[in-house]
Every structure is written in C-alpha cells, then in structure tokens.
Amino acid sequence: MEPKTVYLDNNATTRTAPEVTEAMMPYFGELYGNPSSMHAFGGRIGKAVSEAREKVADFFNAHPEEIVFTSCATESDNTAIRGTAEYFGKTSKFITTAVEHPAVLQPGRRLRAMGHECVELPVDSLGRLDLDRLRSELKGTKNAIVSIMWANNETGTVFPVAEAAAIAKEAGAIFHTDAVQAAGKIPLDMQAVPADMASISGHKFHAPKGVGALFARRGTRFKPFMLGGHQEGGRRAGTDNVPYIVGLGKACEIAKAAMEDENRRLAAMRDRLEKGILATCPDVRVNGDPEHRLPNTLNVAFEYIEGEAIVYRLSDEGICVSTGSACASGSLDPSHVIRAMGVPFTAVHGSIRFSLSRYTTDAEIDYTLEKLPPIVKGLRALSPFGPGMDPTTFGG
Ligand SMILES: *Cc1c(COP(=O)(O)O)cnc(C)c1O
C-alpha cells in the first residue's frame, strides 16, 4: 500500500482550496476576455478583476488602488526594493535583516553590487531583531529603503513590523515588508502598520502558484519592474492573469474569515506536536522565538544528526517536512536563518521545519508523533557524533 501523504511543509507551498479552484474555472473557459478591452465582454472580465482587487484590498484593510497584482511574491519583493532604489537613484541605503527570504536578500545584494550601501541586520539566538540597531543604521540617511519580513518562513518568528515601520517612517525611509508568511495568520492591517509596501504570495495561503500582490500605499513611488502596457495603473505591465487574480481574491476572502478560528486550531496542533517531540526525542531544541511565533510553524533542531536524513526517512513514511526553506534546499549548507541565530554547531545541521495548514488534521499529528521518534533514535544509533564529539569533524 502507498503510504499516505502527511503534508507538513505548508510554508513551502499549500494546497489550492477547492473553493478557489472553483472560482477560477469560468475564467479558463467562456470568460476568457481581456480586462483591458473596451467591449462589454472585456468589461465583464474587468469587473471580475476589480472584485478580486477589492477582496485583496480588504485583506490588507487598504484601498483597491493600493493593490498591484504580480506573478509571485518574488516579483513583489523585487518590485518594491529595486523599483524604489531605481526611483531614488544612487544615493539610497538599503537596510534589511540577515534572515530574509532570498527574494529580499538577493535584490539587496544586487543593489550592493551596483554601489548602494546595503546592511543586513543581525538577529539574536531566538531570531529577534534589535530595533535600536535599526534606529542607528537609519541615522543621517536620505532616501533609505528598509525591508523587514513580517514573519520568518523557517522559524515562524514574527517581527515587530508596526514598530519597525514607524521607526523607518520617522527617519524618512521607505518601508517594505515581506508579508508572505504572515498572510492568513496575522491580520495585515495597513491602517495600523505604517508600511509603504507589503508583498504576499497566493500559493502560501491556498491560492495557486504563480500569483501574488504588492500593497503600495497611496503616493508611494517606484519604477515598475515590468515595462509595457498600462495595466495595474502603470505599475506592472502585462495582461492580467485573470483566473489567478480571481483565485487570489477568493483565497484572501476565505483566509480573512477563517483566520481567528484557524489560528487557534493550528496553534493547538502545533503545540501538541512540539510537546510530543520534546517528550519522546532526547537532545532536541526548538528554534525561534516561542513568544512571537506563527501558529502553524515549528522548527526543531535534532542534535548530532543531519536534517536531510530525517527528511528522507520521514518521506519514506509519507510525511513531508523540510530543512530550512524550499528555496535554499538543493544545497547541503545549513540554513542562513538558523546560522544567523547562532544555533550551536551540534544542532545547526539537524534543524527541521514542520509547517501546518487548514488541511492538517489531528490524525496526521498523531501519525507523525508515532513515526518520528524511532527514526531519530535509529539515526542517532548510526551517527558517529554525540556529546563529547570533535567539532571539526561534524557536518562535513
Ligand atoms: C515563499 C516565500 C517567498 C516567495 O514567494 P513566491 O510567490 O514563491 O515567489 C517570499 N518570501 C517568503 C517569506 C516566502 O516564504
């Protein structure tokens, strides 16, 4: 018998909600018009895009004209960072954190290569930011750009984005936040958070892959990343991806309505998983800030074993988890997020992320708690490493 699939890798991507797929279907079929066309058929499609824009705006507690549809959060992040830098010219300083997604880190490094000053703020051992450090980096800057994620994809640590945005605004900087992992778990209230820009990705909260949005507050200036037609108010050229935009709108509507109950349910399951692992597996430590953490995320370091080995063994049992982020996997280097937190070398290679979603069940948590402890025990028995080991030989 095929092992069942227990999908605990929802920070990498989520299953598209059936309601979302259903809402999208007509736009693959008879409702195929171009929303920019002048005829009534196009107008009808334009109305669907407007309705989706209203739903996404409502999700951000923002105005519809503050929403720019994109192909993914990577595009949203690039647009916000590189588009603002291009608008400002050469004088800007870019300030971000060492634990951002590559979609923020790499644009920052490109800016550095182009001669901009680029600073990656460190985090402490719980993955927390020092806002005084942000304040001091902003001193004397002109046209600075700050990009600080709302919640971390690997550890679930939630940053004080409202405070950070206020500090940046006070210094006259532009503030962007990668809100991909916060979407659907933390209310993205842009009336309460004075950020200029925020990125989200559909496939991280039950819309399909290949659609995202950028919130850009009224009056925010940036050079478009995509040049061409006048779509999205001249901020992102290219014919609207109508079915996916409709899907993103639906996903926002569902996530907003379900958030409170879902968060409670997810946190209870996540806490049960955490307690179960701590009770059955010796030499484990939880990575991240236990006080400010997404309700669906658990990152655990299993000391003296390689995370990849755990991923493969769990995979044989049908359980999907990850080491670090999907975008960084494929390389055996330990995660930049875990390294930035100064996790001890005995644990750095053994960090595993469990991330739950609306479709995770209690039975799946039970199944994982049954399969995991013998795997950890088995790998430890094979491991040449353990307490008292020679650190220079660990981790290859
Ligand atoms: C997944 C992810 C992204 C990239 O989103 P895509 O839509 O896949 O480009 C960016 N930032 C964070 C924090 C993510 O988790």
Side-chain angles (χ1 to χ4, degrees):
M1 203 179 81
E2 276 278 301
K4 59 181 170 181
T5 298
V6 171
Y7 187 76
L8 300 179
D9 200 12
N10 288 280
N11 289 9
T13 197
T14 59
R15 177 183 192 147
T16 304
E19 303 93 312
V20 169
T21 312
E22 197 189 334
M24 293 168 66
M25 286 318 282
Y27 300 92
F28 290 112
E30 73 255 38
L31 298 180
Y32 58 83
N34 187 327
S36 302
S37 297
M38 287 171 70
H39 44 69
F41 184 51
R44 191 165 160 205
I45 311 302
K47 191 159 170 284
V49 171
S50 301
E51 282 168 9
R53 198 182 304 280
E54 276 165 30
K55 285 175 184 166
V56 178
D58 191 48
F59 191 61
F60 277 109
N61 194 16
H63 304 283
E65 66 271 24
E66 294 178 317
I67 304 303
V68 180
F69 290 116
T70 63
S71 65
C72 59
T74 298
E75 185 192 330
S76 302
D77 288 344
N78 273 267
T79 301
I81 296 162
R82 302 172 71 186
T84 307
E86 197 190 336
Y87 176 76
F88 281 154
K90 274 242 162 190
T91 55
S92 63
K93 178 175 185 176
F94 179 64
I95 304 170
T96 186
T97 78
V99 296
E100 297 294 315
H101 190 275
V104 168
L105 288 176
Q106 294 303 337
R109 288 167 194 173
R110 171 62 67 85
L111 290 182
R112 179 184 288 152
M114 290 167 65
H116 297 266
E117 201 180 339
C118 172
V119 176
E120 292 171 10
L121 300 171
V123 295
D124 70 10
S125 61
L126 295 182
R128 294 174 305 192
L129 268 186
D130 175 1
L131 292 180
D132 284 333
R133 183 72 195 272
L134 172 63
R135 268 187 207 95
S136 67
E137 288 292 346
L138 280 164
K139 279 221 179 77
T141 59
K142 189 166 170 278
N143 294 342
I145 304 166
V146 180
S147 182
I148 293 180
M149 66 198 329
W150 204 313
N152 187 271
N153 45 308
E154 294 190 28
T155 59
T157 298
V158 177
F159 281 150
V161 158
E163 273 172 86
I167 291 166
K169 294 318 295 170
E170 206 171 305
I174 290 291
F175 187 89
H176 164 257
T177 180
D178 178 327
V180 171
Q181 294 295 342
K185 293 155 208 150
I186 298 169
L188 305 182
D189 181 355
M190 305 319 284
Q191 304 307 314
V193 174
D196 298 292
M197 291 187 269
S199 305
I200 59 169
S201 173
H203 76 98
K204 301 297 176 77
F205 62 107
H206 307 296
K209 293 150 194 71
V211 65
L214 177 67
F215 159 84
R217 194 178 295 281
R218 270 182 188 150
T220 304
R221 295 270 182 272
F222 59 90
K223 294 282 188 192
F225 194 58
M226 302 277 274
L227 300 175
H230 298 295
Q231 293 90 353
E232 299 301 303
R235 293 167 296 180
R236 199 273 188 184
T239 302
D240 301 81
N241 186 358
V242 177
Y244 284 70
I245 288 171
V246 168
L248 182 64
K250 187 70 186 174
C252 284
E253 183 182 68
I254 298 171
K256 188 172 179 181
M259 197 176 311
E260 230 180 277
D261 290 346
E262 254 320 286
N263 279 353
R264 214 173 301 122
R265 197 185 72 91
L266 286 170
M269 276 193 297
R270 189 271 317 273
D271 292 347
R272 200 161 69 78
L273 180 62
E274 178 176 319
K275 283 203 186 79
I277 293 172
L278 292 174
T280 53
C281 304
D283 295 319
V284 296
R285 34 189 296 148
V286 175
N287 293 319
D289 182 353
E291 301 258 310
H292 303 101
R293 187 165 52 150
L294 291 174
N296 78 317
T297 307
L298 172 64
N299 191 307
V300 182
F302 297 86
E303 296 207 62
Y304 313 115
I305 40 182
E306 297 278 356
E308 285 77 12
I310 303 175
V311 171
Y312 291 132
R313 295 289 170 96
L314 283 175
S315 178
D316 290 341
E317 304 291 349
I319 301 168
C320 309
V321 300
S322 71
T323 64
S325 74
C327 309
S329 61
S331 91
L332 281 179
D333 290 343
S335 135
H336 70 286
V337 175
I338 301 301
R339 270 181 303 164
M341 289 163 51
V343 170
F345 68 89
T346 50
V348 131
H349 289 269
S351 292
I352 294 288
R353 177 184 71 189
F354 302 85
S355 49
L356 285 50
S357 86
R358 187 188 305 159
Y359 299 115
T360 308
T361 64
D362 271 316
E364 291 177 325
I365 300 298
D366 291 337
Y367 180 76
T368 306
L369 284 173
E370 176 198 322
K371 296 293 177 189
L372 179 65
I375 289 173
V376 171
K377 198 166 172 219
L379 289 171
R380 286 244 174 84
L382 293 173
S383 172
F385 309 109
M389 59 192 266
D390 172 6
T392 57
T393 59
F394 185 71

